[in-house]
Amino acid sequence: QLGKLRTQGCDVRAVLGKQATKKIAKILTAARVSLVRRPVQQNVLFVKGKFGKAKVTRAWVGGPSWTDKGLVSDGVTLVVNDGSAAGYLQQFYRVFKGK
């Protein structure tokens, strides 16, 4: 799905922490999704634009529950809407660039 969004013109990038498996990286690479590996413990998915029928700025922030360890993890996902979500995007780009 991320590869499909990329081909439709979306800026799709991934920062993979140590918990992300090689299989996940291989799937993203095959879909030509830009990715980097960083020593992070937090996963962030950010959408700015059309989501369903609404225009949104939204971030989903979580822990290991977004990996294959999710079935045995107590990770929590936080959904951040609109104005305050922009801070997560700035942080994402900082980590993606390695700064």
Side-chain angles (χ1 to χ4, degrees):
Q1 184 65 28
L2 293 175
K4 183 178 178 182
L5 290 171
R6 190 199 55 74
T7 62
Q8 293 173 349
C10 293
D11 181 8
V12 181
R13 302 179 193 195
V15 174
L16 303 182
K18 64 181 180 178
Q19 72 275 17
T21 64
K22 289 180 183 179
K23 182 178 179 181
I24 292 169
K26 186 176 179 179
I27 290 168
L28 292 174
T29 300
R32 298 179 53 206
V33 171
S34 298
L35 65 92
V36 295
R37 287 206 175 259
R38 299 281 187 257
V40 295
Q41 297 295 322
Q42 177 177 337
N43 300 298
V44 177
L45 172 64
F46 190 89
V47 174
K48 181 174 183 177
K50 192 171 182 182
F51 183 70
K53 294 183 180 183
K55 289 188 94 175
V56 301
T57 302
R58 187 171 296 162
W60 288 262
V61 185
S65 59
W66 290 9
T67 69
D68 58 345
K69 295 173 180 44
L71 296 176
V72 295
S73 170
D74 62 352
V76 175
T77 299
L78 169 69
V79 180
V80 182
N81 290 306
D82 301 319
S84 54
Y88 285 96
L89 181 61
Q90 291 172 347
Q91 179 69 6
F92 174 86
Y93 281 127
R94 187 181 72 74
V95 172
F96 189 87
K97 293 175 182 178
K99 296 181 179 183

